[in-house]
Amino acid sequence: MKLVKTLLEAFSSVEYPVVGHGKRNVQVLKDTFDHLDGEIDSDIYGTGTVIENFQTKIAAYLGKPSAVFFPSGTMAQQIALRLWCEEKGSRKVAYHPLCHLEIHEQDGLKELHHIEPVLLADKDRLITLDDVKSMNDDIACLLLELPQREIGGQLPAFEELEAIAGYCRTKGIRLHLDGARLYEILPYYGKTAAEVCSLFDSVYVSFYKGIGGIAGAILAGGEEFAKQSKIWKRRHGGDLISLYPYILNADQAFDERLPKMEQYYRSAVELAGLYNGIEGISTRPLVPVSNMFHVHAALPKETFEKILIAVYEETGIGLTGNVRDAAEGACYYEVSLGDRYPGIPKDRLQQAFELLHEKVKQTAK
């Protein structure tokens, strides 16, 4: 008989999970279709009112002439970089060492498109203008991820972004935005999506992260760029006979959650303050710049997981379901806040952090 709960099992059974919007289950899709007319025609191989209207809507939001809906961001971004490489006649692109394309896609960019990545900056910091100026001029495209997820969702100053964009324009280097979490950074920058995207030649946005949709992505840019991306989408097998479940759900989630991004961001700042009040625990960044941040603990992963499980069982508050090893004797996890956080009783949350503080202190003795 299994007697010891895993962290994920303990997290899944709490009364008040802190992170995310809610469970990713079939009810999400059922809720989308409950209010829709069943006679709405589906899209067919990338055409039709459902997909075309949504593409037009998001293109306008991003301030770009055209946009194409993709089933995945992985597909969209590889295609974007391929197109810029073909335009320049160079097979080199530059991005951060912890870019999604480098660490999560099984070398798809290299194996499928024979593109050579140039890694900029150290893995534990952001790309700077000086890093960009150090690139060789035969780079076809620079990819910037805003925020840089793997280092806690850090962001450069907007003035730094403007300087990088200006430099790339003078050098004929295309600038692509990995904007999987673009919506979430707008409150911090105090900018519209179109203002941020005006610095970039092409933009990818996701509909399942902060927006909380089932799946799907948009790749936006100029008319010719979009036209060529549709050809590569077909070549990649991305033109499913219909994508309407993803599109209709994304459209609903976009309208529902976009106005809440400021709330999610402010919640993250508040929660990070609670973490940083515990000796031996810190957040990265210290003050979040979006709805996400990383929590670092100066304890081994197994030890910290036991502490968290005890806190969950005693308070009913769940902080995370997944802790990762960091440096020797330390661990960390990612926090991303959404619809769940405002519903947590403040006194229960405070109780959980007081207990966490007590147990970490006892363990450190």
Side-chain angles (χ1 to χ4, degrees), residues 295-312:
V295 176
H296 287 255
L299 291 170
K301 175 177 178 289
E302 294 77 10
T303 302
F304 195 52
E305 284 183 339
K306 290 177 182 177
I307 291 174
L308 290 174
I309 291 171
V311 170
Y312 298 177

Side-chain angles (χ1 to χ4, degrees), residues 62-101:
L62 298 174
K64 294 300 180 188
S66 193
V68 181
F69 187 86
F70 281 79
S72 80
T74 296
M75 183 186 298
Q77 293 209 105
Q78 288 185 21
I79 287 171
L81 298 187
R82 170 74 182 241
L83 291 176
W84 294 136
C85 283
E86 290 187 343
E87 177 192 72
K88 183 74 175 283
S90 166
R91 288 289 175 175
K92 290 184 179 180
V93 298
Y95 51 59
H96 193 273
L98 299 181
C99 172
H100 193 279
L101 287 97

Side-chain angles (χ1 to χ4, degrees), residues 25-35 214 249 252:
N25 54 24
V26 174
Q27 189 63 43
V28 173
L29 191 55
K30 289 179 70 177
D31 290 344
T32 295
F33 284 97
D34 272 350
H35 71 286
I214 298 170
N249 172 258
Q252 179 194 48

Side-chain angles (χ1 to χ4, degrees), residues 288-301:
V289 292
S290 72
N291 70 323
M292 73 159 289
F293 56 89
H294 286 183
V295 176
H296 287 255
L299 291 170
K301 175 177 178 289

Side-chain angles (χ1 to χ4, degrees), residues 273-294:
L274 293 175
Y275 276 113
N276 288 311
I278 300 175
E279 187 176 350
I281 294 180
S282 61
T283 67
R284 185 179 302 172
L286 189 65
V287 179
V289 292
S290 72
N291 70 323
M292 73 159 289
F293 56 89
H294 286 183

Side-chain angles (χ1 to χ4, degrees), residues 21-321:
H21 297 302
K23 288 186 176 180
R24 295 184 63 84
N25 54 24
V26 174
Q27 189 63 43
V28 173
L29 191 55
K30 289 179 70 177
D31 290 344
T32 295
F33 284 97
D34 272 350
H35 71 286
L36 294 174
D37 181 358
E39 296 302 314
I40 295 174
D41 290 332
S42 72
D43 57 304
I44 299 177
Y45 293 122
T47 63
T49 302
V50 165
I51 191 169
E52 290 164 7
N53 284 355
F54 187 63
Q55 289 172 163
T56 299
K57 174 180 178 176
I58 302 303
Y61 171 74
L62 298 174
K64 294 300 180 188
S66 193
V68 181
F69 187 86
F70 281 79
S72 80
T74 296
M75 183 186 298
Q77 293 209 105
Q78 288 185 21
I79 287 171
L81 298 187
R82 170 74 182 241
L83 291 176
W84 294 136
C85 283
E86 290 187 343
E87 177 192 72
K88 183 74 175 283
S90 166
R91 288 289 175 175
K92 290 184 179 180
V93 298
Y95 51 59
H96 193 273
L98 299 181
C99 172
H100 193 279
L101 287 97
E102 186 67 15
I103 65 173
H104 291 305
E105 299 181 14
Q106 300 293 313
D107 287 335
L109 193 66
K110 304 168 191 174
E111 297 295 329
L112 297 178
H113 299 283
H114 309 293
I115 290 174
E116 177 187 345
V118 175
L119 305 183
L120 290 186
D122 299 327
K123 66 180 182 178
D124 59 352
R125 67 170 176 84
L126 293 166
I127 292 173
T128 66
L129 178 60
D130 287 340
D131 295 317
V132 177
K133 287 181 175 180
S134 73
M135 297 191 307
N136 190 301
D137 284 347
D138 70 347
I139 295 291
C141 180
L142 167 64
L143 179 152
L144 294 180
E145 180 186 356
L146 304 177
Q148 194 73 52
R149 177 192 179 188
E150 299 292 341
I151 54 173
Q154 296 182 50
L155 278 177
F158 195 75
E159 295 73 20
E160 179 90 353
L161 275 183
E162 291 178 310
I164 291 173
Y167 179 81
C168 287
R169 280 194 297 271
T170 65
K171 294 296 183 179
I173 299 168
R174 293 295 191 176
L175 192 58
H176 172 75
L177 171 59
D178 178 341
R181 294 167 177 80
L182 170 65
Y183 325 103
E184 294 98 303
I185 66 171
L186 300 178
Y188 176 79
Y189 275 149
K191 305 289 183 182
T192 65
E195 286 173 325
V196 175
C197 294
S198 68
L199 303 178
F200 295 84
D201 298 290
S202 57
V203 178
Y204 143 67
V205 293
S206 169
F207 294 106
Y208 81 85
K209 296 181 175 69
I211 291 296
I214 298 170
I218 279 279
L219 183 60
E223 296 285 356
E224 183 59 27
F225 175 84
K227 180 181 176 181
Q228 293 300 315
S229 76
K230 288 181 179 179
I231 293 172
W232 275 101
K233 179 184 173 187
R234 177 63 60 91
R235 289 169 175 166
H236 269 252
D239 266 337
L240 281 65
I241 186 171
S242 59
L243 289 162
Y244 70 90
Y246 305 110
I247 296 166
L248 293 172
N249 172 258
D251 196 17
Q252 179 194 48
F254 182 83
D255 289 343
E256 176 186 339
R257 295 201 170 104
L258 200 63
K260 299 180 182 179
M261 291 298 161
E262 175 86 25
Q263 171 195 309
Y264 301 155
Y265 162 53
R266 298 299 173 192
S267 295
V269 173
E270 176 182 278
L271 185 63
L274 293 175
Y275 276 113
N276 288 311
I278 300 175
E279 187 176 350
I281 294 180
S282 61
T283 67
R284 185 179 302 172
L286 189 65
V287 179
V289 292
S290 72
N291 70 323
M292 73 159 289
F293 56 89
H294 286 183
V295 176
H296 287 255
L299 291 170
K301 175 177 178 289
E302 294 77 10
T303 302
F304 195 52
E305 284 183 339
K306 290 177 182 177
I307 291 174
L308 290 174
I309 291 171
V311 170
Y312 298 177
E313 291 180 339
E314 189 166 333
T315 68
I317 301 290
L319 300 175
T320 183

